[in-house]
Amino acid sequence: MNKRHCAIVDAYSTGRYLPEEFSCYGIGTVHLMSAAEVPPVFCSHFDATLYDEVIRPNERMTEEELVEYHLEALRCREVEFIIAGCETGVELADSLSERLGLPSNGTTRSAARRDKSRLSEALSSAGVRSIRQVVSNCAEDVTSWMRQSSFDEIVIKPLNSTGTEDVFFCSTDADVQRATSAIVGKTNRVGALNRFALGQEKISGQQYTVNAVSVDGETFITEVWTYDTVPIKGAASVCSLERLLDGKDPVVEQLSDYLMRSLQALEIVNGPAHAEIIVDHAGPVLVDFGARLQGTMSRKARTMALGHNHMTLTAWRYADPAGFLAYMRQRGPYSRRAHALCVSLISDVGGLVGGYPGLETIRKLSSFADAIAFVPVGQNLVPTTDLASTPGIVYLVNNDLTQLESDYRKLRAMRMDQVFDLASLGQT
């Protein structure tokens, strides 16, 4: 029997685990790069040996040249499907899959899946609630729009950044000026130049993360978590805690209905999706979106709590669509097998990481399930301002909710200089 093959565009972040998932089905993986170099933020965990082949383009290719380059490389390789491994791979994966006649979301709405302003326009055009917004490279335009709209506070962010990079809450003209100046003209962490800033109304309500997987327009919600944040001076806010909801929770149905209408507006019919949705007095509204897997996930902890995870279900969807569909249709709403918390550590100190003396204490918590994304030894821990500067993430899973909450309080009581061995940045 001939070996099966697939291609992943930019298999970074959570996407780096997909080759292992696909190998369980006897599927080898070709890695396609959307740029000549791996973005620095992903370099530390990119392992080229996981792939049958890595196809790297030349520098300074236009978008069309990039597509043609990868099409030529793939024509002699019989791949069954192409999937984006992370945010930077979405548009190229759309183009290649469409051109090769493979399962695809097409390119009509491809830009809207990455550009936050176009996303809101696509939702609005389809009659789906979206956030009011303005796009400009001029702070005065944003402040004028803020006053005309009678907003006391707005959110300013780049059009296509990741990991809550450069997200600001602004209530004064000076705030808007600082945020716009910080964003416009900056090359973000994934190598894109911010030519404009996006101003949006600030939605006040409970935030949720919702993950889904689709097959030819049939969508299945895989999990819903509450998403709690804490304010950060000089920026916006950072995630502090996610709490897994049961699939039969009434708000899950409300969120599911809204997300499915959003996916239709964005013409997403195949593959994974990750959404961040706020519910306020007017109902749900999408605040961030990715046509890809959720980042910074623990496969182990989520499988403990759910019996599956976003990665395993995505791999199953592509490797065995018929089997996946049959199972998911019969399953109905997902079931929470255990209570689960995803705890983002937050630091107000910095230093060179020499080790993790507090990790053994954390592992002894009876609810401990996994610890991921800890700042590597030898690198700098910095005060937390966004997702990328979160010092580490700890998953707690337990059937006993009382014990889970007790362990959470113990974890939160730990200082970062207890969790990490920190040396002064000036120390050698």
Side-chain angles (χ1 to χ4, degrees), residues 34-91:
S34 68
E37 301 296 333
V38 178
V41 69
F42 299 127
C43 280
S44 64
H45 53 62
F46 178 68
D47 183 359
T49 66
L50 296 175
Y51 308 93
D52 294 345
E53 187 175 4
V54 175
I55 300 177
R56 184 189 303 264
N58 299 321
E59 293 184 4
R60 299 185 182 89
M61 281 185 170
T62 65
E63 288 185 19
E64 185 55 35
E65 287 172 339
L66 185 66
V67 172
E68 291 297 333
Y69 175 84
H70 284 298
L71 283 173
E72 185 62 30
L74 290 174
R75 283 194 176 102
C76 60
R77 299 167 176 82
E78 295 184 0
V79 298
E80 294 183 20
F81 53 87
I82 299 170
I83 183 174
C86 74
E87 189 70 15
T88 58
V90 168
E91 291 174 285

Side-chain angles (χ1 to χ4, degrees), residues 4-317:
R4 302 167 66 188
H5 298 278
C6 71
I8 305 176
V9 183
D10 292 351
Y12 314 133
S13 186
T14 304
R16 72 187 188 271
Y17 299 115
L18 284 173
E20 181 182 344
E21 298 288 348
F22 288 132
S23 69
C24 297
Y25 296 92
I27 299 175
T29 304
V30 176
H31 185 258
L32 310 179
M33 295 175 61
S34 68
E37 301 296 333
V38 178
V41 69
F42 299 127
C43 280
S44 64
H45 53 62
F46 178 68
D47 183 359
T49 66
L50 296 175
Y51 308 93
D52 294 345
E53 187 175 4
V54 175
I55 300 177
R56 184 189 303 264
N58 299 321
E59 293 184 4
R60 299 185 182 89
M61 281 185 170
T62 65
E63 288 185 19
E64 185 55 35
E65 287 172 339
L66 185 66
V67 172
E68 291 297 333
Y69 175 84
H70 284 298
L71 283 173
E72 185 62 30
L74 290 174
R75 283 194 176 102
C76 60
R77 299 167 176 82
E78 295 184 0
V79 298
E80 294 183 20
F81 53 87
I82 299 170
I83 183 174
C86 74
E87 189 70 15
T88 58
V90 168
E91 291 174 285
L92 181 55
D94 288 343
S95 295
L96 295 173
S97 57
E98 183 179 64
R99 294 274 289 270
L100 292 172
L102 300 174
S104 180
N105 292 315
T107 56
T108 304
R109 292 292 190 185
S110 192
R113 298 169 197 146
R114 286 218 59 210
D115 184 310
K116 294 176 175 63
S117 68
R118 295 188 183 187
L119 182 147
S120 290
E121 291 168 0
L123 295 179
S124 181
S125 296
V128 180
R129 185 188 177 196
S130 63
I131 296 180
R132 288 175 287 177
Q133 62 181 22
V134 65
V135 177
S136 180
N137 58 4
C138 174
E140 287 72 21
D141 290 344
V142 180
T143 55
S144 176
W145 170 81
M146 179 178 171
R147 285 193 294 270
Q148 290 173 5
S149 302
S150 300
F151 292 138
D152 294 327
E153 188 173 28
I154 62 172
V155 182
I156 298 182
K157 62 180 75 170
L159 293 177
N160 62 356
S161 63
T162 61
T164 67
E165 180 183 10
D166 288 332
V167 176
F168 299 91
F169 291 163
C170 301
S171 56
T172 68
D173 290 4
D175 291 341
V176 172
Q177 182 64 59
R178 281 192 294 270
T180 306
S181 298
I183 293 169
V184 176
K186 176 182 176 180
T187 298
N188 65 32
R189 290 195 187 99
V190 295
L193 177 64
N194 298 328
R195 301 184 184 279
F196 298 93
L198 173 65
Q200 294 184 325
E201 62 175 315
K202 183 177 182 293
I203 306 294
S204 298
Q206 176 61 58
Q207 188 165 337
Y208 302 86
T209 60
V210 187
N211 293 334
V213 179
S214 299
V215 182
D216 297 332
E218 191 167 352
T219 297
F220 303 93
I221 303 302
T222 64
E223 61 199 293
V224 177
W225 300 66
T226 60
Y227 185 99
D228 295 336
T229 62
V230 294
I232 295 294
K233 186 177 180 180
S237 61
V238 296
C239 180
S240 59
L241 177 67
E242 295 175 75
R243 185 184 299 271
L244 179 64
L245 298 181
D246 186 71
K248 294 180 181 178
D249 190 302
V251 77
V252 171
E253 182 177 359
Q254 182 186 26
L255 292 165
S256 299
D257 290 345
Y258 175 82
L259 179 59
M260 288 182 184
R261 290 192 293 120
S262 299
L263 295 181
Q264 290 171 0
L266 295 167
E267 299 183 16
I268 291 177
V269 295
N270 284 299
H274 167 66
E276 296 182 14
I277 301 171
I278 293 179
V279 177
D280 65 3
H281 66 280
V285 64
L286 195 65
V287 294
D288 207 354
F289 179 80
R292 37 81 179 167
L293 293 165
Q294 180 181 355
T296 58
M297 287 197 299
S298 164
R299 293 179 291 176
K300 175 186 175 184
R302 296 197 178 211
T303 301
M304 288 170 62
L306 289 160
H308 66 253
N309 64 69
H310 204 200
M311 286 167 278
T312 58
L313 291 178
T314 294
W316 190 6
R317 174 263 171 268

Side-chain angles (χ1 to χ4, degrees), residues 74 152 168 214 268 275 291 330 333 353 375 389 411 420:
L74 290 174
D152 294 327
F168 299 91
S214 299
I268 291 177
Q330 186 275 331
V353 176
V375 177
S389 55
L411 175 61
F420 296 89

